[in-house]
Amino acid sequence: MEKYKEKVRLRIIYLTLGMFLTCGINIVLLSNRSRLPEISDFILGFQSGVFIGLILVFIFCIVKFLASMKSDEALKKLYIEENDERGQLIVYKGSVFTTVGMLILLALSTVIAGFFNEIIFFTLLGVLGVFLILFCTFMVYFKKTL
């Protein structure tokens, strides 16, 4: 259990660094708002919401891991929760179907957008390309490592 405790401690450190990095990016972008192109209030609100949401997720995870570090029983419960084979299979199956669904939706959206707006078409085409590159990269990686 000591090995897992160290793993959780590292997660807390990484999450804290991620939270501070997110805060730093937000502060830099907001303080340089006058130098950046004008954006609508809706986009500014959306960006603020995303930053606040990320910070809340970081805080939630950090608090969860800190609470589990306080007792061996809570740490053991977290370990079992993370290593439950049924839960892992559910996440795996959900990820597979989500990936296939997103690829189909992106491909269809790209074709449809080509009829209406060239900028949206190339944006979706770029997203689809990056998605496929990542997908193929991870497929090759996992075929070699697993």
Side-chain angles (χ1 to χ4, degrees):
M1 200 50 70
E2 286 300 317
K3 190 175 182 180
Y4 183 68
K5 194 172 192 174
E6 180 63 23
K7 192 177 191 180
V8 171
R9 191 182 71 74
L10 280 174
R11 285 182 191 172
I12 293 169
I13 292 170
Y14 291 142
L15 287 168
T16 304
L17 289 173
M19 185 175 65
F20 284 124
L21 182 65
T22 301
C23 287
I25 290 170
N26 193 20
I27 290 168
V28 167
L29 289 174
L30 289 176
S31 63
N32 291 313
R33 174 66 34 223
S34 61
R35 297 182 200 169
L36 298 171
E38 281 293 317
I39 58 172
S40 69
D41 288 338
F42 175 76
I43 293 175
L44 185 60
F46 180 81
Q47 290 172 340
S48 298
V50 168
F51 279 119
I52 290 169
L54 281 172
I55 303 252
L56 290 175
V57 168
F58 281 128
I59 290 171
F60 173 79
C61 291
I62 290 169
V63 168
K64 177 183 171 184
F65 290 138
L66 283 173
S68 71
M69 295 275 285
K70 290 186 178 181
S71 75
D72 286 338
E73 188 175 308
L75 192 64
K76 186 176 181 180
K77 184 178 177 185
L78 181 66
Y79 177 81
I80 291 170
E81 181 183 313
E82 284 184 9
N83 293 300
D84 177 40
E85 291 175 2
R86 182 177 180 271
Q88 289 175 348
L89 182 63
I90 290 169
V91 170
Y92 169 74
K93 291 285 189 179
S95 299
V96 168
F97 285 108
T98 301
T99 301
V100 171
M102 287 301 297
L103 282 171
I104 291 169
L105 285 174
L106 271 171
L108 288 173
S109 299
T110 304
V111 170
I112 293 168
F115 289 107
F116 298 103
N117 190 317
E118 194 173 299
I119 294 172
I120 296 173
F121 168 78
F122 284 115
T123 302
L124 288 174
L125 186 62
V127 170
L128 182 61
V130 169
F131 196 98
L132 285 170
I133 289 169
L134 280 172
F135 181 76
C136 292
T137 302
F138 283 121
M139 288 293 287
V140 168
Y141 171 78
F142 286 122
K143 279 184 180 183
K144 290 184 178 183
T145 59
L146 294 179

